[in-house]
Amino acid sequence: MPNHRFLKALLRQPVDKTPVWIMRQAGRYLPEYLETRKRAGSFLNLCKTPELACEVTIQPLARFELDAAILFSDILTIPDAMGLGLHFVEGEGPRFKNPVQTIAAIKNIGIPDPEDELKYVCDAVRVIRHELNDTVPLIGFSGSPWTLATYMVEGGPSKTFSTIKKMLYAEPQALHLLLGKLADSVTQYLNAQIAAGVQAVQIFDSWGGILSHQAYQDFSLTYMKKIIQGLTREIDGKRVPVILFTKGGGQWLEAIADSGCDAVGLDWTVDIANAKERIGDKVALQGNLDPAVLFASPEVVKQEAQRIIRSFNDNTGHVFNLGHGIDKSTNPDNVKVLVDAVHEYAARRTNAF
Ligand code: CP3
């Protein structure tokens, strides 16, 4: 029996229990992931070898009763395909050999063909769909233009974002040119993932929350709206839901819910009951357990999961998740406690609705 609880909840149709998946569910907290990465030689090789990307996509599903799989890849595949020279420095994260800091460099950027430079991603989708054999849906994803631009302009992760913020205020037209190209690339990339078989997509706006109120609208949300307008929303008669996740976006939930997305991802700082009151009649909500809860005892994990389900208090429109990616030092046993607790508690409560 295919499990489509995740897709149903995103479309706000009734479900028997709250579906759950976990951002970064495949990754370094799993010993089997570390073993496959070692065999691949590097994280990027792992992303670029469809059979291995498929293997690690499936690993968390073998351990936990998750209601969705997420394509194993990275948001930085697009800037990599644009020729920025992506590499990963152990312990420090991603770095670009050729950051993009001038209007001339931005003008030089081309839009990658997803079935050419990014064909390995589409191939991974096809291999994973075949392997999943319709047990659970597959999620595709991309970074938001703003979030991708932060890495491209800063040359890697940043604490202050001073280079891109300087560009935003001193040379806004240069940044708009970059964001426009990224929006076109992301649209084509997500549509290629959808054509290859992903059944829902999530846009990760990991750094939208560092922007001022006005700058968020102008430099992040506008471009995500443009992407959503250009996406294939239905394939073979089935809706392809779009989840929009802005970390730190709690104060803009109404505007995010008006973007045309089907679901809004919440970080852990938001009260989900309040978010439901504000926007829950328009879109589904995804989230929002603090990933740090998983460092506590199984009892605390269960209590905190139950608190969120009770707060949401409905048998549709909620996809349980963390409020951001799982930490690499998490004990996998606690992830099992969490996933089982969500299902058990939600199933018990369903009878009460
Ligand atoms: O959710 C999943 O399981 C799918 C896989 C996935 C990865 N990255 C794998 C990964 C997804 C959805 C991402 C998204 C991503 N990548 C984001 C947005 C989500 C977020 O966390 O806000 C961002 C900002 C990136 C960029 C990126 N990639 C960074 C900053 C890093 C280093 C992170 C760190 O903790 O060191 C990566 C590397 C990365 N992406 C890893 C994984 C499993 C670790 C690589 C390794 O094995 O060493």
Side-chain angles (χ1 to χ4, degrees), residues 105-149:
I106 292 170
K107 282 186 179 155
N108 261 333
I109 286 179
I111 299 194
D113 176 350
E115 279 290 359
D116 185 2
E117 290 102 317
L118 291 162
K119 184 166 180 291
Y120 65 90
V121 177
C122 300
D123 286 342
V125 170
R126 289 183 274 263
V127 175
I128 298 165
R129 271 304 301 274
H130 180 79
E131 194 66 26
L132 284 174
N133 196 20
D134 221 12
T135 45
V136 290
L138 178 63
I139 307 167
F141 69 91
S142 170
S144 72
W146 164 255
T147 293
L148 295 177

Side-chain angles (χ1 to χ4, degrees), residues 21-28 33-34 37 43 46 70-76 88 90-94 141 147 151 157 204 206-207 245 247 324-325 328:
W21 70 280
I22 289 170
M23 286 191 269
R24 299 268 188 109
Q25 64 192 24
R28 290 167 295 181
Y33 167 83
L34 294 173
R37 190 185 68 179
F43 168 68
L46 182 49
I70 178 161
L71 162 70
F72 189 83
S73 188
D74 198 81
I75 62 165
L76 301 177
F88 282 83
E90 194 53 49
E92 288 180 39
F141 69 91
T147 293
Y151 289 97
F204 285 90
S206 307
W207 299 116
F245 171 61
K247 182 163 172 281
H324 196 205
K328 65 173 186 245

Side-chain angles (χ1 to χ4, degrees), residues 26-343:
R28 290 167 295 181
Y29 73 106
L30 292 176
E32 56 271 36
Y33 167 83
L34 294 173
E35 196 274 318
T36 311
R37 190 185 68 179
K38 202 163 144 199
R39 247 194 300 135
S42 71
F43 168 68
L44 273 181
N45 277 350
L46 182 49
C47 292
K48 292 183 178 182
T49 313
E51 289 69 28
L52 295 180
C54 175
E55 191 178 306
V56 293
T57 300
I58 307 283
Q59 283 170 349
L61 303 171
R63 274 189 184 246
F64 318 119
E65 281 190 31
L66 295 159
D67 295 294
I70 178 161
L71 162 70
F72 189 83
S73 188
D74 198 81
I75 62 165
L76 301 177
T77 50
I78 286 183
D80 182 47
M82 287 172 162
L84 271 68
L86 175 65
H87 55 283
F88 282 83
V89 180
E90 194 53 49
E92 288 180 39
R95 284 275 179 286
F96 287 113
K97 204 164 129 248
N98 316 306
V100 175
Q101 291 167 340
T102 60
I103 185 100
I106 292 170
K107 282 186 179 155
N108 261 333
I109 286 179
I111 299 194
D113 176 350
E115 279 290 359
D116 185 2
E117 290 102 317
L118 291 162
K119 184 166 180 291
Y120 65 90
V121 177
C122 300
D123 286 342
V125 170
R126 289 183 274 263
V127 175
I128 298 165
R129 271 304 301 274
H130 180 79
E131 194 66 26
L132 284 174
N133 196 20
D134 221 12
T135 45
V136 290
L138 178 63
I139 307 167
F141 69 91
S142 170
S144 72
W146 164 255
T147 293
L148 295 177
T150 64
Y151 289 97
M152 294 169 73
V153 173
E154 299 287 340
S158 173
K159 286 203 166 73
T160 57
F161 298 93
S162 46
T163 314
I164 191 159
K165 283 203 161 183
K166 181 178 171 196
M167 189 187 278
L168 187 155
Y169 291 112
E171 283 186 287
Q173 68 298 345
L175 188 52
H176 280 303
L177 182 64
L178 177 59
L179 293 169
K181 287 189 177 192
L182 283 167
D184 288 348
S185 297
V186 169
T187 308
Q188 291 183 24
Y189 182 53
L190 287 177
N191 279 340
Q193 290 183 28
I194 292 166
V198 304
Q199 292 146 292
V201 295
Q202 175 155 323
I203 301 173
F204 285 90
D205 188 27
S206 307
W207 299 116
I210 64 150
L211 289 166
S212 74
H213 180 76
Q214 191 58 46
Y216 176 71
Q217 317 294 318
D218 297 346
F219 291 86
S220 189
L221 190 57
T222 299
Y223 291 96
M224 295 194 285
K225 276 189 192 162
K226 206 174 154 221
I227 292 165
I228 293 172
Q229 279 163 11
L231 289 182
T232 309
R233 300 303 286 275
E234 205 178 290
I235 201 156
D236 303 330
K238 292 191 188 100
R239 176 95 173 162
V240 183
V242 178
I243 309 164
L244 203 162
F245 171 61
T246 290
K247 182 163 172 281
Q251 61 165 328
W252 304 308
L253 294 182
E254 291 82 356
I256 297 171
D258 277 338
S259 65
C261 65
D262 298 276
V264 173
L266 305 174
D267 70 23
W268 66 87
T269 63
V270 173
D271 172 29
I272 198 167
N274 176 258
K276 190 184 171 204
E277 259 175 48
R278 286 164 63 190
I279 57 167
D281 59 340
K282 278 195 181 158
V283 288
L285 300 179
Q286 178 175 280
N288 67 342
L289 186 77
D290 185 343
V293 167
L294 291 168
F295 298 150
S297 66
E299 288 66 38
V300 172
V301 171
K302 282 185 210 165
Q303 273 165 24
E304 291 294 313
Q306 291 182 0
R307 201 178 49 74
I308 289 172
I309 293 167
R310 245 190 342 262
S311 284
F312 188 83
N313 194 33
D314 215 331
N315 72 336
T316 186
H318 182 208
V319 172
F320 197 99
N321 205 318
L322 304 183
H324 196 205
I326 190 167
D327 189 272
K328 65 173 186 245
S329 60
T330 306
N331 179 347
D333 294 344
N334 255 0
V335 178
K336 180 165 168 44
V337 169
L338 174 66
V339 171
D340 291 348
V342 169
H343 284 155

